[in-house]
Amino acid sequence: MTTTWTQAARTIPRPTQAVIDGVGVEALTDRSFDSIGPRDGEVVATLPACDERDVDRAVAAARAAFADGRWRDRAPAERKAVLHRFADLVDAHRDELALLETLDTGKPIGDTTAVDAPGAATTLRWYAEAADKVYGEVAPTGPGALATITREPMGVVAAIVPWNYPMIITAWKIGPALATGNSVIVKPAEQSPMATLRLAELASQAGLPPGVLNVLPGEGATGAALAAHGDVDKVTFTGSTATGRKVLEAAAASNLKSVSLELGGKSPQVVFADAPDLDAVAEAVAWGIFYNQGQTCHAGSRLVVEDAVADELVGRIAEVARGLTAGDPLDEATQLGALVSREQLERVVGYIDLAGQEGATVVLGGGRSEPVEGGCYLEPTILDHVRADARIATEEIFGPVLVVQRFDGTQDAALHLANGTDYGLAGAVWSADHARAERVAARLRAGSVYVNCFDLGDVTVPHGGFGASGFGGRDKSLHALDQYTELKTTWRSL
Ligand code: NDP
């Protein structure tokens, strides 16, 4: 099957233009950048690095679309029908979108066909359904007045998206933003623009009016120009904490636009010695960190394990990891593909190199591999005996690297380690003692907590975190609608 996908990769059309006002256009910038495929280090596309003039043009198109009401004033049921057609087209183009995503990011084709492309369609469909179910409220004021509370779209929304789940995160943002009548400009990460550009073409084909969804390929400067723009009403951002801070500063220094930030994590899986089934725990811990090559914001990147079962559990996790099929992302059998870029690979290797200096032991992996020459591959890695204050225990590594921290069996010791980072995106507790599991779950400082399981996911539940993991609203679920709407109170004197 690798041959089929490799052949398809040779001939697949690769988007090379920005999408502004409903059509692919040449950017005004004279600068371009290469999107390098991490599978083999080859250039997969050369795209314009959209500059301030392109940002101005896209914002103007989005503003015009919002101002004349061509989308926001359509009956919610009509917006719903368009978004359903959009979701159907995403499904119909599943293989094409999945291949573009794999070429850009190095994710296994088995994942992009089974998870990323269908996940984007499911999300769009869910928000299509939500479009005509957003009700207002009547406030319980006294009899002399009638006050209604309604939701209005914010206006022009900039969605700045990272490279780890380009299509899915784009759908998490454009689904609720479009369902509620906003105009959107997406800035994909420079590593992964292709599938997003194709999504915008499909949206136009589905009947989304011009200007309502624009996509600007570019580098960090493109995102910075959007965050600083005086006519953007909202920035929704997913990425690193450092860049999130810059977005917030730019918003404060410009027009005080609304900002939502989702900034990653260092999520713990706490395992007590009485965990019901150590094999199930080992599977969940291994997949929780190694899926997507560890480049997942809510990855279970820390194992916080009771001493009594630590050796046994680490051994079983290593067994699961050894059984994963690492290889060419274009091979359907591959479970572990490439990291997104040479830069990310070096960053992750840098953390592994730190392990020795910080007193930790490499118990599995730690080395590069090269199933495809020139690609960015790393073995699944386990670092044991990691100190609570080590950088590898507190900073987001964002690669296939599990950090193991051991505790003496007391609940307080477990929680001290588990809550010992600035992040608070996800966390899990494993114990047969349900009362204890509930107590620990209640005290884990995280936006999503799992009890005797990990990484269950559904568009119906909110995604976001506490502390350095971000703020300003949630992606997914009906709560995401809050990110893209303003509440308006209207009084009438009776
Ligand atoms: P960034 O946070 O820099 O990138 C995320 C998005 O922000 C990209 O679209 C990027 O564009 C854009 N961007 C970059 N600079 C600015 C700016 N000044 N203003 C507005 N937008 C900007 O992440 P990196 O790609 O540099 O990854 C570094 C680390 O971040 C990873 O190792 C990981 O730890 C973390 N990360 C976390 C993610 C999460 O899901 N929470 C996702 C990705 C990374 P461009 O790509 O063109 O620079």
Side-chain angles (χ1 to χ4, degrees), residues 161-164 187 190 218-220 223-224 237 239-240 243 264 297 344 396:
V161 177
W163 40 258
N164 54 335
K187 166 22 199 135
E190 66 198 76
E219 298 165 307
F237 171 85
S240 65
T243 303
C297 45
Q344 186 63 16
E396 187 176 47

Side-chain angles (χ1 to χ4, degrees), residues 9-49:
R10 275 193 215 108
T11 52
I12 189 170
R14 302 177 188 207
T16 55
Q17 293 179 311
V19 176
I20 299 177
D21 226 357
V23 285
V25 293
E26 295 302 332
L28 297 174
T29 180
D30 47 15
R31 293 192 52 240
S32 61
F33 68 99
D34 290 334
S35 174
I36 313 282
R39 172 180 177 261
D40 56 6
E42 297 289 325
V43 174
V44 291
T46 299
L47 294 119

Side-chain angles (χ1 to χ4, degrees), residues 219-244:
E219 298 165 307
T222 315
L226 283 165
H229 202 287
D231 203 25
V232 168
D233 300 297
K234 161 101 208 176
V235 177
T236 174
F237 171 85
T238 302
S240 65
T241 306
T243 303

Side-chain angles (χ1 to χ4, degrees), residues 275-361:
D277 173 356
L278 273 197
D279 283 329
V281 180
E283 282 281 332
V285 172
W287 280 103
I289 180 62
F290 299 131
Y291 183 75
N292 207 39
Q293 298 68 246
Q295 305 164 129
T296 300
C297 45
H298 63 274
S301 51
R302 288 186 299 139
L303 170 65
V304 175
V305 57
E306 184 171 343
D307 284 326
V309 287
D311 288 340
E312 178 65 29
L313 181 59
V314 169
R316 292 194 202 186
I317 296 167
E319 270 315 299
V320 177
R322 282 191 203 96
L324 297 175
T325 310
D328 184 347
L330 289 178
D331 185 337
E332 285 181 1
T334 294
Q335 295 171 305
L336 263 184
L339 274 72
V340 74
S341 64
R342 179 81 28 206
E343 187 191 5
Q344 186 63 16
L345 175 65
E346 297 306 336
R347 190 196 303 260
V348 176
V349 168
Y351 278 108
I352 296 172
D353 291 344
L354 255 187
Q357 295 166 39
E358 295 195 315
T361 341

